[in-house]
Amino acid sequence: MVKICCIGAGYVGGPTMAVIALKCPSVEVAVVDISVARITAWNSDVLPIYEPGLDEVVKQCRGKNLFFSTDVEKHVSEADIIFVSVNTPTKTRGLGAGKAADLTYWESAARMIADVSKSDKIVVEKSTVPVKTAEAIERILTHNSKGINYQILSNPEFLAEGTAIQDLFRPDRVLIGGRETTEGQKAIQALKAVYAHWVPEERIICTNLWSAELSKLAANAFLAQRISSVNAMSALCEATGADVSQVSHAVGKDTRIGPKFLNASVGFGGSCFQKDILNLVYICECNGLTEVANYWKQVIKVNDYQKNRFVNRIVSSMFNTISGKKIAVLGFAFKKDTGDTRETPAIDVCNGLLGDKARLSIYDPEVTADQIQRDLSMKKFDWDHPLHLQPMSPTSMKQVSVVWDAYEAAKDAHGLCIITEWDEFKKLDYKRIFDSMQKPAFVFDGRNIVNAEKLREIGFIVYSIGKPLDPWLKDMPAVA
Protein backbone atom coordinates (compact mmCIF):
# COMPACT_ATOMS: atom_id res chain seq x y z
CA MET A 1 0.00 0.00 0.00
CA VAL A 2 1.38 3.42 -0.99
CA LYS A 3 1.59 5.75 2.00
CA ILE A 4 1.27 9.50 1.56
CA CYS A 5 1.92 12.05 4.28
CA CYS A 6 1.16 15.77 4.03
CA ILE A 7 2.90 18.19 6.38
CA GLY A 8 0.50 21.08 6.98
CA ALA A 9 -3.25 20.77 7.59
CA GLY A 10 -4.34 24.08 6.10
CA TYR A 11 -6.41 25.30 3.15
CA VAL A 12 -4.30 23.34 0.65
CA GLY A 13 -3.18 20.25 2.55
CA GLY A 14 -6.52 19.31 4.09
CA PRO A 15 -8.79 19.39 1.02
CA THR A 16 -6.14 18.01 -1.39
CA MET A 17 -5.38 15.00 0.79
CA ALA A 18 -9.07 14.35 1.48
CA VAL A 19 -9.76 14.13 -2.27
CA ILE A 20 -6.70 11.92 -2.89
CA ALA A 21 -7.97 9.58 -0.14
CA LEU A 22 -11.46 9.53 -1.68
CA LYS A 23 -10.23 8.85 -5.20
CA CYS A 24 -7.46 6.38 -4.22
CA PRO A 25 -8.95 3.90 -1.72
CA SER A 26 -5.76 1.79 -1.93
CA VAL A 27 -3.57 4.70 -0.76
CA GLU A 28 -3.18 5.54 2.93
CA VAL A 29 -3.15 9.30 3.49
CA ALA A 30 -2.03 11.03 6.70
CA VAL A 31 -2.27 14.79 7.23
CA VAL A 32 0.03 15.98 10.01
CA ASP A 33 0.42 19.31 11.77
CA ILE A 34 2.02 20.50 14.99
CA SER A 35 -1.13 22.47 15.86
CA VAL A 36 -3.17 20.29 18.24
CA ALA A 37 -6.21 22.57 17.89
CA ARG A 38 -6.19 22.30 14.11
CA ILE A 39 -5.84 18.49 14.05
CA THR A 40 -8.57 18.18 16.73
CA ALA A 41 -10.85 20.24 14.48
CA TRP A 42 -10.09 18.03 11.46
CA ASN A 43 -11.07 15.02 13.57
CA SER A 44 -14.32 16.66 14.77
CA ASP A 45 -17.69 17.48 13.21
CA VAL A 46 -16.67 21.14 12.76
CA LEU A 47 -13.75 21.31 10.32
CA PRO A 48 -11.25 24.16 10.71
CA ILE A 49 -12.00 25.56 7.24
CA TYR A 50 -15.24 26.15 5.37
CA GLU A 51 -15.29 24.84 1.81
CA PRO A 52 -18.43 23.60 0.00
CA GLY A 53 -18.40 19.79 -0.28
CA LEU A 54 -15.36 19.29 1.99
CA ASP A 55 -17.38 17.91 4.92
CA GLU A 56 -18.81 15.05 2.89
CA VAL A 57 -15.43 14.04 1.44
CA VAL A 58 -13.71 14.03 4.84
CA LYS A 59 -16.52 12.08 6.52
CA GLN A 60 -16.43 9.40 3.80
CA CYS A 61 -12.71 8.69 4.23
CA ARG A 62 -11.70 9.70 7.76
CA GLY A 63 -10.65 6.69 9.83
CA LYS A 64 -10.52 4.44 6.73
CA ASN A 65 -7.62 5.65 4.60
CA LEU A 66 -7.52 9.31 5.72
CA PHE A 67 -5.99 10.23 9.06
CA PHE A 68 -5.27 13.55 10.80
CA SER A 69 -2.50 13.43 13.39
CA THR A 70 -0.02 15.49 15.42
CA ASP A 71 2.46 12.60 15.36
CA VAL A 72 4.42 14.23 12.56
CA GLU A 73 7.60 12.19 12.77
CA LYS A 74 5.89 8.77 12.77
CA HIS A 75 3.89 9.45 9.61
CA VAL A 76 6.79 11.17 7.82
CA SER A 77 9.13 8.25 8.49
CA GLU A 78 6.53 5.72 7.23
CA ALA A 79 5.53 7.63 4.07
CA ASP A 80 6.62 6.91 0.49
CA ILE A 81 5.51 10.33 -0.78
CA ILE A 82 5.65 13.43 1.46
CA PHE A 83 3.74 16.55 0.45
CA VAL A 84 4.97 19.74 2.13
CA SER A 85 2.23 22.32 2.46
CA VAL A 86 3.52 24.74 5.07
CA ASN A 87 3.23 28.52 5.31
CA THR A 88 5.55 30.55 3.09
CA PRO A 89 4.90 34.08 4.37
CA THR A 90 6.42 37.24 2.97
CA LYS A 91 9.57 38.27 4.87
CA THR A 92 9.05 41.26 7.16
CA ARG A 93 12.71 41.99 7.86
CA GLY A 94 16.18 41.35 6.52
CA LEU A 95 17.12 40.61 2.91
CA GLY A 96 14.10 40.91 0.61
CA ALA A 97 11.78 42.22 3.35
CA GLY A 98 8.29 42.99 2.04
CA LYS A 99 8.77 40.90 -1.10
CA ALA A 100 10.76 37.67 -0.69
CA ALA A 101 9.17 34.48 0.65
CA ASP A 102 10.22 33.43 4.14
CA LEU A 103 11.20 29.76 3.85
CA THR A 104 11.78 29.20 7.59
CA TYR A 105 8.93 26.68 7.92
CA TRP A 106 9.91 24.93 4.70
CA GLU A 107 13.52 24.53 5.81
CA SER A 108 12.59 23.15 9.23
CA ALA A 109 10.23 20.66 7.52
CA ALA A 110 13.08 19.54 5.22
CA ARG A 111 15.48 19.11 8.16
CA MET A 112 12.87 17.11 10.06
CA ILE A 113 12.30 14.84 7.02
CA ALA A 114 16.06 14.22 6.84
CA ASP A 115 16.19 13.46 10.59
CA VAL A 116 13.41 10.86 10.73
CA SER A 117 13.57 9.15 7.31
CA LYS A 118 14.74 5.53 7.19
CA SER A 119 13.78 4.80 3.56
CA ASP A 120 13.86 6.58 0.18
CA LYS A 121 11.32 9.40 -0.17
CA ILE A 122 9.66 11.50 -2.81
CA VAL A 123 9.24 15.02 -1.39
CA VAL A 124 6.61 17.16 -3.10
CA GLU A 125 6.42 20.96 -2.91
CA LYS A 126 2.76 21.79 -2.51
CA SER A 127 3.02 25.27 -0.98
CA THR A 128 3.60 28.11 -3.41
CA VAL A 129 7.34 28.66 -3.30
CA PRO A 130 9.83 30.84 -5.16
CA VAL A 131 11.65 29.41 -8.15
CA LYS A 132 14.72 27.39 -7.14
CA THR A 133 13.31 26.42 -3.70
CA ALA A 134 13.48 22.78 -4.78
CA GLU A 135 17.22 23.15 -5.25
CA ALA A 136 17.68 24.50 -1.73
CA ILE A 137 15.53 21.72 -0.24
CA GLU A 138 17.44 19.14 -2.27
CA ARG A 139 20.72 20.39 -0.82
CA ILE A 140 19.46 20.21 2.76
CA LEU A 141 18.21 16.64 2.24
CA THR A 142 21.29 15.34 0.39
CA HIS A 143 23.70 16.87 2.92
CA ASN A 144 21.80 15.10 5.70
CA SER A 145 20.90 12.00 3.72
CA LYS A 146 22.57 9.13 5.67
CA GLY A 147 22.48 7.09 2.45
CA ILE A 148 18.79 7.72 1.75
CA ASN A 149 17.72 8.89 -1.71
CA TYR A 150 15.36 11.84 -2.02
CA GLN A 151 13.61 13.04 -5.14
CA ILE A 152 12.09 16.53 -5.08
CA LEU A 153 8.98 17.27 -7.14
CA SER A 154 7.06 20.49 -7.61
CA ASN A 155 3.29 19.97 -7.72
CA PRO A 156 1.75 23.44 -7.31
CA GLU A 157 -1.91 23.75 -6.39
CA PHE A 158 -4.30 25.74 -8.59
CA LEU A 159 -7.32 25.72 -6.27
CA ALA A 160 -9.81 28.55 -6.05
CA GLU A 161 -11.39 28.87 -2.63
CA GLY A 162 -15.12 28.32 -2.65
CA THR A 163 -14.73 25.78 -5.48
CA ALA A 164 -11.68 23.86 -4.20
CA ILE A 165 -13.37 20.45 -4.06
CA GLN A 166 -14.74 20.77 -7.60
CA ASP A 167 -11.32 22.04 -8.73
CA LEU A 168 -9.74 18.91 -7.24
CA PHE A 169 -12.37 16.58 -8.73
CA ARG A 170 -12.06 18.10 -12.21
CA PRO A 171 -8.80 20.04 -12.50
CA ASP A 172 -7.93 22.06 -15.63
CA ARG A 173 -4.47 20.56 -15.27
CA VAL A 174 -2.21 18.84 -12.75
CA LEU A 175 1.36 20.08 -13.00
CA ILE A 176 4.27 17.90 -11.88
CA GLY A 177 7.83 19.17 -12.19
CA GLY A 178 10.90 17.06 -11.51
CA ARG A 179 14.53 16.46 -12.37
CA GLU A 180 15.31 15.26 -15.87
CA THR A 181 17.32 12.31 -14.50
CA THR A 182 16.18 8.67 -14.53
CA GLU A 183 15.33 8.84 -10.80
CA GLY A 184 13.59 12.19 -11.28
CA GLN A 185 11.43 10.80 -14.07
CA LYS A 186 10.58 7.72 -11.97
CA ALA A 187 9.42 10.00 -9.13
CA ILE A 188 7.25 12.00 -11.58
CA GLN A 189 5.62 8.74 -12.76
CA ALA A 190 4.96 7.66 -9.15
CA LEU A 191 3.06 10.87 -8.40
CA LYS A 192 1.36 10.82 -11.79
CA ALA A 193 0.05 7.32 -10.97
CA VAL A 194 -1.72 8.73 -7.89
CA TYR A 195 -3.51 11.48 -9.85
CA ALA A 196 -4.25 9.11 -12.75
CA HIS A 197 -6.84 7.39 -10.52
CA TRP A 198 -9.25 10.16 -11.54
CA VAL A 199 -7.51 12.77 -13.73
CA PRO A 200 -7.35 12.09 -17.51
CA GLU A 201 -3.75 11.59 -18.63
CA GLU A 202 -3.79 14.52 -21.07
CA ARG A 203 -4.47 16.85 -18.14
CA ILE A 204 -1.37 15.77 -16.23
CA ILE A 205 1.49 17.99 -17.43
CA CYS A 206 5.07 16.99 -16.64
CA THR A 207 7.81 19.65 -16.76
CA ASN A 208 11.19 20.40 -15.27
CA LEU A 209 11.31 21.68 -11.69
CA TRP A 210 11.80 25.36 -12.46
CA SER A 211 8.98 25.51 -15.01
CA ALA A 212 6.54 24.01 -12.51
CA GLU A 213 7.58 26.43 -9.75
CA LEU A 214 7.38 29.46 -12.05
CA SER A 215 4.07 28.40 -13.68
CA LYS A 216 2.26 28.78 -10.37
CA LEU A 217 3.56 32.32 -9.77
CA ALA A 218 2.86 33.23 -13.40
CA ALA A 219 -0.73 31.91 -13.31
CA ASN A 220 -1.58 33.95 -10.21
CA ALA A 221 0.14 37.04 -11.60
CA PHE A 222 -1.88 36.78 -14.84
CA LEU A 223 -5.17 36.40 -12.94
CA ALA A 224 -4.43 39.30 -10.62
CA GLN A 225 -3.38 41.39 -13.62
CA ARG A 226 -6.81 40.87 -15.22
CA ILE A 227 -8.54 42.08 -12.05
CA SER A 228 -6.31 45.15 -11.82
CA SER A 229 -6.89 45.82 -15.52
CA VAL A 230 -10.68 45.87 -15.17
CA ASN A 231 -10.43 47.85 -11.91
CA ALA A 232 -8.27 50.47 -13.65
CA MET A 233 -11.00 50.66 -16.32
CA SER A 234 -13.64 51.09 -13.60
CA ALA A 235 -12.04 54.37 -12.50
CA LEU A 236 -12.07 55.61 -16.09
CA CYS A 237 -15.70 54.51 -16.50
CA GLU A 238 -16.77 56.57 -13.49
CA ALA A 239 -14.90 59.59 -14.86
CA THR A 240 -16.51 59.33 -18.31
CA GLY A 241 -20.01 57.97 -17.61
CA ALA A 242 -19.31 54.54 -19.14
CA ASP A 243 -20.54 51.38 -17.39
CA VAL A 244 -17.75 48.92 -16.52
CA SER A 245 -20.13 45.92 -16.67
CA GLN A 246 -21.00 46.75 -20.27
CA VAL A 247 -17.37 47.37 -21.16
CA SER A 248 -16.13 44.10 -19.59
CA HIS A 249 -19.01 42.17 -21.23
CA ALA A 250 -18.04 43.56 -24.64
CA VAL A 251 -14.34 42.89 -24.04
CA GLY A 252 -14.98 39.38 -22.70
CA LYS A 253 -16.86 38.42 -25.87
CA ASP A 254 -13.52 38.46 -27.68
CA THR A 255 -12.57 34.76 -27.63
CA ARG A 256 -8.90 35.67 -27.25
CA ILE A 257 -9.70 37.39 -23.95
CA GLY A 258 -12.72 35.51 -22.57
CA PRO A 259 -15.12 36.61 -19.82
CA LYS A 260 -13.47 35.28 -16.65
CA PHE A 261 -11.91 37.52 -13.99
CA LEU A 262 -13.36 40.66 -15.58
CA ASN A 263 -15.67 41.75 -12.76
CA ALA A 264 -14.74 45.15 -11.36
CA SER A 265 -14.61 45.19 -7.57
CA VAL A 266 -13.14 46.84 -4.52
CA GLY A 267 -9.95 44.83 -5.15
CA PHE A 268 -8.53 41.32 -5.09
CA GLY A 269 -7.60 39.42 -1.94
CA GLY A 270 -6.75 35.89 -0.88
CA SER A 271 -3.59 34.25 0.32
CA CYS A 272 -1.79 34.02 -3.02
CA PHE A 273 -2.18 36.88 -5.46
CA GLN A 274 -0.31 39.65 -3.67
CA LYS A 275 2.21 37.31 -2.07
CA ASP A 276 3.03 35.58 -5.35
CA ILE A 277 3.40 38.83 -7.28
CA LEU A 278 5.73 40.25 -4.60
CA ASN A 279 7.70 37.03 -4.88
CA LEU A 280 7.84 37.36 -8.66
CA VAL A 281 9.00 40.98 -8.29
CA TYR A 282 11.78 39.89 -5.93
CA ILE A 283 12.96 37.10 -8.25
CA CYS A 284 13.01 39.57 -11.18
CA GLU A 285 15.00 42.10 -9.15
CA CYS A 286 17.48 39.42 -8.05
CA ASN A 287 18.03 38.56 -11.70
CA GLY A 288 18.55 42.20 -12.71
CA LEU A 289 15.19 42.43 -14.52
CA THR A 290 14.11 45.81 -13.15
CA GLU A 291 11.62 46.66 -15.92
CA VAL A 292 9.89 43.28 -15.55
CA ALA A 293 9.73 43.74 -11.75
CA ASN A 294 8.20 47.22 -12.16
CA TYR A 295 5.59 45.86 -14.57
CA TRP A 296 4.29 43.34 -12.02
CA LYS A 297 4.54 45.82 -9.12
CA GLN A 298 1.98 47.96 -10.92
CA VAL A 299 -0.65 45.19 -10.57
CA ILE A 300 -0.46 45.53 -6.78
CA LYS A 301 -0.33 49.34 -6.95
CA VAL A 302 -3.61 49.44 -8.89
CA ASN A 303 -5.18 47.05 -6.37
CA ASP A 304 -4.16 49.33 -3.47
CA TYR A 305 -5.37 52.36 -5.45
CA GLN A 306 -8.80 50.72 -5.91
CA LYS A 307 -9.24 50.09 -2.18
CA ASN A 308 -8.15 53.66 -1.34
CA ARG A 309 -10.51 55.03 -3.99
CA PHE A 310 -13.41 53.13 -2.43
CA VAL A 311 -12.67 54.53 1.05
CA ASN A 312 -12.22 58.06 -0.33
CA ARG A 313 -15.53 57.78 -2.18
CA ILE A 314 -17.29 56.86 1.08
CA VAL A 315 -15.74 59.73 3.05
CA SER A 316 -16.24 62.40 0.37
CA SER A 317 -19.89 61.36 -0.17
CA MET A 318 -20.70 61.83 3.50
CA PHE A 319 -19.82 65.52 3.70
CA ASN A 320 -16.11 64.69 3.99
CA THR A 321 -16.42 63.34 7.51
CA ILE A 322 -17.35 59.93 8.89
CA SER A 323 -16.10 60.64 12.41
CA GLY A 324 -18.44 58.98 14.92
CA LYS A 325 -20.79 57.79 12.17
CA LYS A 326 -21.90 54.16 12.12
CA ILE A 327 -21.09 52.37 8.86
CA ALA A 328 -22.35 48.86 8.15
CA VAL A 329 -19.88 46.53 6.45
CA LEU A 330 -21.45 43.54 4.73
CA GLY A 331 -18.92 40.81 4.09
CA PHE A 332 -15.38 40.36 5.37
CA ALA A 333 -14.13 37.22 3.58
CA PHE A 334 -12.09 37.93 0.45
CA LYS A 335 -14.82 36.34 -1.71
CA LYS A 336 -18.08 34.44 -1.29
CA ASP A 337 -18.34 30.77 -0.29
CA THR A 338 -15.24 30.84 1.90
CA GLY A 339 -14.46 31.94 5.44
CA ASP A 340 -10.94 32.94 4.39
CA THR A 341 -9.96 36.50 5.24
CA ARG A 342 -6.30 36.43 4.17
CA GLU A 343 -5.42 39.69 2.38
CA THR A 344 -9.15 40.46 2.05
CA PRO A 345 -9.81 43.99 0.75
CA ALA A 346 -12.13 44.36 3.77
CA ILE A 347 -9.08 44.80 6.03
CA ASP A 348 -7.74 47.86 4.20
CA VAL A 349 -11.23 49.32 3.67
CA CYS A 350 -12.13 48.91 7.36
CA ASN A 351 -8.78 50.28 8.53
CA GLY A 352 -9.22 53.23 6.17
CA LEU A 353 -12.66 53.97 7.64
CA LEU A 354 -11.39 53.50 11.21
CA GLY A 355 -8.56 55.90 10.43
CA ASP A 356 -11.25 58.49 9.77
CA LYS A 357 -12.85 57.61 13.15
CA ALA A 358 -15.94 55.80 11.82
CA ARG A 359 -17.79 53.22 13.95
CA LEU A 360 -18.09 49.91 12.11
CA SER A 361 -20.72 47.21 12.39
CA ILE A 362 -19.55 44.16 10.44
CA TYR A 363 -21.49 41.09 9.32
CA ASP A 364 -20.16 38.08 7.42
CA PRO A 365 -21.97 34.72 7.42
CA GLU A 366 -18.75 32.67 7.67
CA VAL A 367 -16.19 34.80 9.54
CA THR A 368 -16.02 34.86 13.35
CA ALA A 369 -15.83 38.01 15.45
CA ASP A 370 -12.48 36.84 16.83
CA GLN A 371 -11.05 36.49 13.31
CA ILE A 372 -12.25 39.95 12.29
CA GLN A 373 -10.78 41.60 15.40
CA ARG A 374 -7.55 39.65 14.84
CA ASP A 375 -7.30 40.74 11.18
CA LEU A 376 -7.93 44.40 11.97
CA SER A 377 -5.28 44.52 14.69
CA MET A 378 -2.57 42.44 12.98
CA LYS A 379 0.54 43.71 11.24
CA LYS A 380 0.64 43.34 7.44
CA PHE A 381 2.19 39.90 6.95
CA ASP A 382 1.44 38.29 10.38
CA TRP A 383 -1.55 36.37 8.99
CA ASP A 384 0.67 33.99 7.06
CA HIS A 385 2.42 32.53 10.09
CA PRO A 386 1.01 29.47 11.92
CA LEU A 387 -1.76 30.43 14.35
CA HIS A 388 0.30 29.73 17.49
CA LEU A 389 2.93 32.24 16.29
CA GLN A 390 0.39 35.01 15.64
CA PRO A 391 -0.37 37.66 18.29
CA MET A 392 -2.32 35.77 20.96
CA SER A 393 -5.35 37.82 21.94
CA PRO A 394 -6.24 40.44 19.39
CA THR A 395 -6.81 43.85 20.91
CA SER A 396 -10.55 44.36 20.74
CA MET A 397 -11.34 47.56 18.90
CA LYS A 398 -13.92 49.79 20.54
CA GLN A 399 -15.01 51.23 17.20
CA VAL A 400 -15.77 47.77 15.75
CA SER A 401 -18.75 45.58 16.54
CA VAL A 402 -19.33 42.26 14.80
CA VAL A 403 -22.97 41.22 14.45
CA TRP A 404 -24.70 38.10 13.12
CA ASP A 405 -27.32 39.70 10.95
CA ALA A 406 -27.22 42.20 8.05
CA TYR A 407 -30.24 44.10 9.41
CA GLU A 408 -28.59 44.54 12.80
CA ALA A 409 -25.44 45.84 11.05
CA ALA A 410 -27.45 48.42 9.08
CA LYS A 411 -29.62 49.69 11.96
CA ASP A 412 -28.94 53.42 12.58
CA ALA A 413 -26.01 53.37 10.10
CA HIS A 414 -25.30 56.32 7.81
CA GLY A 415 -23.80 54.13 5.11
CA LEU A 416 -23.71 50.48 4.06
CA CYS A 417 -20.68 48.96 2.27
CA ILE A 418 -20.84 45.67 0.41
CA ILE A 419 -17.35 44.13 0.41
CA THR A 420 -18.04 40.41 -0.27
CA GLU A 421 -20.44 39.19 -2.97
CA TRP A 422 -22.39 36.73 -0.75
CA ASP A 423 -25.62 35.69 -2.52
CA GLU A 424 -27.71 36.55 0.55
CA PHE A 425 -26.79 40.23 0.16
CA LYS A 426 -28.65 40.30 -3.18
CA LYS A 427 -31.85 39.11 -1.49
CA LEU A 428 -32.00 41.46 1.50
CA ASP A 429 -35.09 43.59 2.12
CA TYR A 430 -33.49 46.92 1.29
CA LYS A 431 -36.69 48.85 2.06
CA ARG A 432 -36.50 47.55 5.65
CA ILE A 433 -32.79 48.47 5.76
CA PHE A 434 -33.49 51.97 4.41
CA ASP A 435 -36.18 52.57 7.03
CA SER A 436 -33.76 51.62 9.83
CA MET A 437 -30.85 53.81 8.65
CA GLN A 438 -29.94 57.46 9.23
CA LYS A 439 -30.78 59.78 6.32
CA PRO A 440 -29.42 60.44 3.79
CA ALA A 441 -28.76 56.70 3.54
CA PHE A 442 -25.84 55.58 1.38
CA VAL A 443 -25.02 52.22 -0.23
CA PHE A 444 -21.47 51.66 -1.47
CA ASP A 445 -21.50 48.50 -3.55
CA GLY A 446 -17.94 47.18 -3.85
CA ARG A 447 -19.05 44.13 -5.87
CA ASN A 448 -21.79 45.47 -8.16
CA ILE A 449 -24.35 42.96 -6.87
CA VAL A 450 -27.34 45.18 -6.06
CA ASN A 451 -29.78 46.79 -8.47
CA ALA A 452 -28.76 50.44 -8.08
CA GLU A 453 -31.89 51.83 -9.79
CA LYS A 454 -34.24 49.92 -7.46
CA LEU A 455 -32.27 51.14 -4.45
CA ARG A 456 -32.46 54.73 -5.69
CA GLU A 457 -36.24 54.37 -6.01
CA ILE A 458 -36.33 53.35 -2.33
CA GLY A 459 -34.38 56.53 -1.49
CA PHE A 460 -30.75 55.40 -1.20
CA ILE A 461 -27.80 57.32 -2.62
CA VAL A 462 -25.90 54.53 -4.39
CA TYR A 463 -22.29 54.19 -5.46
CA SER A 464 -21.45 51.18 -7.64
CA ILE A 465 -17.87 50.62 -8.78
CA GLY A 466 -17.32 51.62 -12.41
CA LYS A 467 -20.95 52.68 -13.02
CA PRO A 468 -22.31 56.11 -14.03
CA LEU A 469 -22.28 58.19 -10.87
CA ASP A 470 -25.32 59.10 -8.78
CA PRO A 471 -26.01 62.86 -9.22
CA TRP A 472 -25.13 63.28 -5.51
CA LEU A 473 -21.62 61.93 -6.11
CA LYS A 474 -20.79 63.71 -9.35
CA ASP A 475 -19.14 66.75 -7.79
CA MET A 476 -17.41 64.81 -5.02
CA PRO A 477 -13.71 64.04 -5.63
CA ALA A 478 -12.80 60.37 -5.10
CA VAL A 479 -9.11 60.33 -5.82
CA ALA A 480 -6.74 61.12 -2.99
Side-chain angles (χ1 to χ4, degrees):
M1 184 185 232
V2 174
K3 288 191 173 185
I4 290 177
C5 173
C6 177
I7 303 172
Y11 274 93
V12 175
T16 305
M17 294 304 119
V19 169
I20 287 178
L22 180 73
K23 299 291 188 181
C24 310
S26 60
V27 174
E28 185 182 296
V29 181
V31 184
V32 296
D33 201 296
I34 54 174
S35 166
V36 176
R38 176 163 274 193
I39 291 297
T40 304
W42 277 111
N43 282 317
S44 74
D45 287 334
V46 184
L47 301 183
I49 61 174
Y50 169 72
E51 191 62 54
L54 177 61
D55 255 23
E56 294 82 346
V57 175
V58 170
K59 281 173 184 157
Q60 262 179 276
C61 306
R62 195 172 54 193
K64 294 177 189 155
N65 68 327
L66 175 65
F67 304 93
F68 296 94
S69 169
T70 52
D71 195 343
V72 180
E73 296 188 359
K74 170 184 181 286
H75 290 286
V76 166
S77 72
E78 291 175 357
D80 304 297
I81 302 173
I82 302 164
F83 286 85
V84 184
S85 183
V86 296
N87 302 60
T88 49
T90 305
K91 284 181 79 170
T92 50
R93 49 177 79 123
L95 186 66
K99 290 188 285 247
D102 181 346
L103 297 178
T104 306
Y105 306 118
W106 234 111
E107 184 175 331
S108 59
R111 290 183 183 281
M112 183 270 298
I113 291 168
D115 280 348
V116 305
S117 294
K118 298 178 184 66
S119 57
D120 294 354
K121 307 284 183 208
I122 296 171
V123 179
V124 184
E125 292 177 338
K126 201 68 189 157
S127 341
T128 304
V129 291
V131 184
K132 301 282 183 179
T133 299
E135 200 167 74
I137 302 310
E138 211 167 42
R139 282 182 188 160
I140 290 167
L141 291 171
T142 48
H143 281 284
N144 295 279
S145 69
K146 299 172 295 205
I148 291 166
N149 290 314
Y150 297 98
Q151 283 302 319
I152 315 295
L153 299 179
S154 173
N155 174 220
E157 55 81 20
F158 295 102
L159 306 179
E161 283 176 54
T163 58
I165 299 301
Q166 287 312 308
D167 295 343
L168 286 162
F169 282 173
R170 281 187 292 280
D172 291 339
R173 77 295 203 195
V174 169
L175 185 55
I176 304 171
R179 286 282 188 198
E180 286 156 321
T181 59
T182 309
E183 292 80 12
Q185 292 303 303
K186 261 170 71 179
I188 288 175
Q189 291 308 316
L191 184 55
K192 187 176 175 180
V194 172
Y195 284 111
H197 279 82
W198 79 98
V199 181
E201 189 167 357
E202 66 273 12
R203 292 201 176 186
I204 303 175
I205 303 169
C206 301
T207 68
N208 71 32
L209 268 172
W210 323 135
S211 298
E213 288 181 332
L214 189 55
S215 295
K216 167 66 177 176
L217 296 183
N220 278 341
F222 277 46
L223 291 171
Q225 178 202 42
R226 279 178 76 101
I227 297 170
S228 280
S229 295
V230 77
N231 283 344
M233 282 296 157
S234 75
L236 186 59
C237 286
E238 287 168 33
T240 57
D243 181 329
V244 74
S245 300
Q246 294 175 353
V247 172
S248 60
H249 178 69
V251 168
K253 282 292 181 191
D254 185 325
T255 51
R256 295 166 303 173
I257 298 170
K260 291 185 176 174
F261 276 71
L262 287 182
N263 291 326
S265 68
V266 63
F268 60 73
S271 63
C272 288
F273 283 1
Q274 175 155 313
K275 184 172 80 173
D276 287 0
I277 292 172
L278 288 171
N279 217 320
L280 199 56
V281 166
Y282 183 65
I283 294 164
C284 292
E285 287 175 348
C286 288
N287 284 288
L289 304 172
T290 310
E291 288 79 7
V292 181
N294 290 341
Y295 175 78
W296 290 111
K297 261 186 211 166
Q298 203 58 35
V299 173
I300 291 176
K301 279 189 181 166
V302 169
N303 196 49
D304 290 339
Y305 165 76
Q306 188 78 339
K307 290 180 281 191
N308 290 337
R309 213 167 66 77
F310 190 72
V311 171
N312 293 340
R313 186 68 83 182
I314 293 166
V315 177
S316 67
S317 304
M318 296 174 142
F319 316 104
N320 238 9
T321 176
I322 51 173
S323 180
K325 291 177 181 173
K326 177 179 173 180
I327 295 179
V329 176
L330 298 190
F332 199 85
F334 84 91
K335 67 175 183 180
K336 71 173 186 177
D337 293 336
T338 177
D340 193 353
T341 61
R342 294 177 294 178
E343 295 281 7
T344 171
I347 295 172
D348 285 338
V349 170
C350 289
N351 281 332
L353 297 172
L354 291 168
D356 238 302
K357 300 200 169 83
R359 291 185 301 115
L360 303 184
S361 186
I362 303 172
Y363 164 67
D364 187 289
E366 285 298 332
V367 184
T368 64
D370 179 64
Q371 186 63 51
I372 289 171
Q373 293 282 3
R374 185 189 290 277
D375 285 332
L376 292 178
S377 56
M378 238 187 287
K379 288 199 194 83
K380 185 136 181 72
F381 297 115
D382 278 356
W383 60 267
D384 205 7
H385 290 270
L387 204 56
H388 65 285
L389 294 177
Q390 291 176 13
M392 269 316 282
S393 51
T395 46
S396 193
M397 296 190 166
K398 292 190 194 72
Q399 294 162 269
V400 177
S401 65
V402 180
V403 296
W404 283 103
D405 171 57
Y407 299 104
E408 183 61 33
K411 194 174 165 204
D412 289 323
H414 288 258
L416 181 147
C417 307
I418 300 170
I419 307 288
T420 314
E421 71 281 22
W422 286 103
D423 291 338
E424 67 180 79
F425 299 158
K426 298 175 189 174
K427 302 170 192 154
L428 294 171
D429 179 347
Y430 281 97
K431 176 76 175 81
R432 176 182 162 192
I433 286 174
F434 179 78
D435 291 341
S436 75
M437 285 175 71
Q438 299 282 338
K439 307 298 179 298
F442 296 85
V443 169
F444 302 95
D445 183 2
R447 295 287 181 168
N448 288 344
I449 61 167
V450 297
N451 183 324
E453 281 316 307
K454 281 194 177 153
L455 263 57
R456 286 185 184 115
E457 283 166 20
I458 292 170
F460 283 107
I461 294 160
V462 184
Y463 167 67
S464 301
I465 282 185
K467 305 277 188 165
L469 292 177
D470 194 296
W472 178 286
L473 303 167
K474 275 209 170 114
D475 302 322
M476 310 271 186
V479 183

